[in-house]
């Protein structure tokens, strides 16, 4: 077992190694990186994050398909209402795994209400209480009592500043409020390193890991996401 100092050193080393622009090419974050306008980044980022579960190759393939459907112009597509035809509200067919065409339409409906009102998604979330995760869950109408890995990943993209990977375009929120996106690699490595006493996929465990990383990366615990995820992917058992 590593000592506290040895563990901190390893985490900082791994974060430096994996928190780089090279990370983008094989990660879903590559899709919002196609854009420079805030609204396009928000839309592409949220929808890409929603699709980010399962096999990495399939995630990238489906996210690329959705980007093509949007004509590589997310905001224009949302405001055009073309999604009403592309994603019928009664269409229960699978768009990606258990996510149906009707499910995807639901996301477009919520985004349309935001942008048609002249707001950004960051503006819209200010209407809800709590930390960013709770605000986004309230906006989407989903539970804030589960780890919500995909949504926390999206929030990391939007909020963390000074990053070659994350955008940091939501200035009203702080990186210190983020919760670690808990996935298989992060959970396994965190448990093996003793950052948590459990390997369970729960919000409580995600918060424990985040708190442990806060001690290593003060004010920016999700920098540790790169350390745990990067090391976990490249050192599978």
């Amino acid at each position: 077992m590593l000592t506290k100092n040895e563990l901190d050193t390893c985490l900082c080393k791994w974060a430096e190694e994996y928190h780089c622009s090279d990370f983008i090419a094989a990660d879903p974050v590559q899709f919002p990186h196609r854009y420079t306008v805030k609204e396009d980044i928000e839309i592409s980022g949220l929808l890409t994050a929603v699709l980010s579960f399962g096999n990495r190759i399939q995630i990238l393939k489906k996210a690329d398909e959705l980007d093509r459907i949007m004509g590589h112009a997310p905001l224009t597509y949302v405001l055009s209402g073309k999604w009403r035809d592309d994603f019928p509200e009664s269409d229960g067919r699978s768009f990606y795994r258990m996510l149906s065409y009707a499910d995807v339409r639901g996301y477009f409906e919520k985004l349309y209400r935001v942008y048609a009102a002249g707001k950004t998604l960051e503006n819209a979330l200010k209407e809800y209480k709590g930390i960013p995760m709770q605000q986004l869950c309230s906006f989407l109408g989903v539970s804030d009592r589960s780890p919500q890995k995909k949504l926390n990943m999206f929030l990391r993209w939007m909020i963390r500043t000074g990053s070659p990977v994350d955008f940091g375009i939501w200035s009203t929120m702080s990186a210190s409020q983020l919760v670690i996106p808990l996935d298989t690699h992060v959970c396994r490595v965190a448990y093996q390193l003793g950052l948590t006493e459990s390997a369970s996929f729960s919000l409580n465990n995600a918060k424990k890991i985040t708190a442990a990383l806060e001690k290593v990366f003060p004010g920016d615990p999700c920098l540790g996401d790169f350390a745990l995820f990067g090391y976990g992917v490249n050192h599978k058992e």
Side-chain angles (χ1 to χ4, degrees):
M1 179 66 70
L2 297 174
T3 66
K4 175 67 166 58
N5 287 339
E6 289 172 337
L7 176 57
D8 290 358
T9 299
C10 284
L11 289 170
C12 290
K13 176 185 176 182
W14 297 338
E16 181 178 359
E17 180 178 354
Y18 299 114
H19 184 230
C20 62
S21 57
D22 291 344
F23 183 91
I24 296 172
D27 192 81
V29 76
Q30 66 184 268
F31 294 100
H33 267 285
R34 293 178 176 181
Y35 303 102
T36 57
V37 175
K38 180 176 182 175
E39 292 85 349
D40 287 332
I41 294 171
E42 288 180 338
I43 295 166
S44 176
L46 179 62
L47 296 176
T48 297
V50 167
L51 295 174
S52 296
F53 60 100
N55 179 272
R56 177 60 63 92
I57 294 175
Q58 293 305 312
I59 293 170
L60 299 181
K61 180 179 178 181
K62 185 56 66 170
D64 191 47
E65 178 185 339
L66 181 57
D67 196 46
R68 291 197 305 272
I69 290 173
M70 292 191 293
H72 308 295
L75 179 60
T76 298
Y77 180 81
V78 167
L79 293 177
S80 74
K82 191 175 181 297
W83 44 270
R84 295 187 179 92
D85 296 323
D86 294 333
F87 298 92
E89 61 182 343
S90 60
D91 195 339
R93 291 178 303 149
S94 169
F95 179 71
Y96 177 62
R97 301 187 70 178
M98 72 282 292
L99 193 70
S100 70
Y101 277 78
D103 292 331
V104 176
R105 180 195 176 96
Y107 288 102
F108 278 115
E109 288 176 339
K110 289 179 173 63
L111 290 170
Y112 177 80
R113 288 194 289 270
V114 170
Y115 297 106
K119 300 178 181 179
T120 64
L121 184 52
E122 180 184 14
N123 295 148
L125 295 192
K126 293 178 185 177
E127 300 173 9
Y128 302 94
K129 297 179 180 180
I131 62 173
M133 175 189 171
Q134 293 170 320
Q135 292 173 308
L136 183 56
C137 285
S138 294
F139 169 75
L140 294 175
V142 299
S143 173
D144 63 3
R145 296 185 179 182
S146 64
Q148 296 293 1
K149 174 256 180 180
K150 296 175 289 185
L151 301 187
N152 280 316
M153 181 179 69
F154 167 69
L155 290 169
R156 195 202 78 204
W157 293 349
M158 296 299 103
I159 297 172
R160 287 194 67 251
T161 59
S163 169
V165 179
D166 301 321
F167 295 89
I169 57 174
W170 285 7
S171 60
T172 60
M173 301 175 188
S174 169
S176 64
Q177 298 174 297
L178 293 171
V179 177
I180 194 86
L182 191 65
D183 73 355
T184 301
H185 304 296
V186 169
C187 192
R188 172 172 60 83
V189 176
Y191 177 66
Q192 291 174 344
L193 293 175
L195 295 177
T196 177
E197 298 176 351
S198 170
S200 65
F201 289 89
S202 66
L203 177 59
N204 185 55
N205 204 26
K207 288 181 175 180
K208 285 184 177 180
I209 296 171
T210 302
L213 292 172
E214 168 70 25
K215 296 176 181 178
V216 184
F217 307 103
D220 189 17
C222 281
L223 175 55
D225 185 26
F226 292 92
L228 298 180
F229 179 82
Y231 183 82
V233 168
N234 290 281
H235 296 80
K236 298 178 181 178
E237 293 180 330

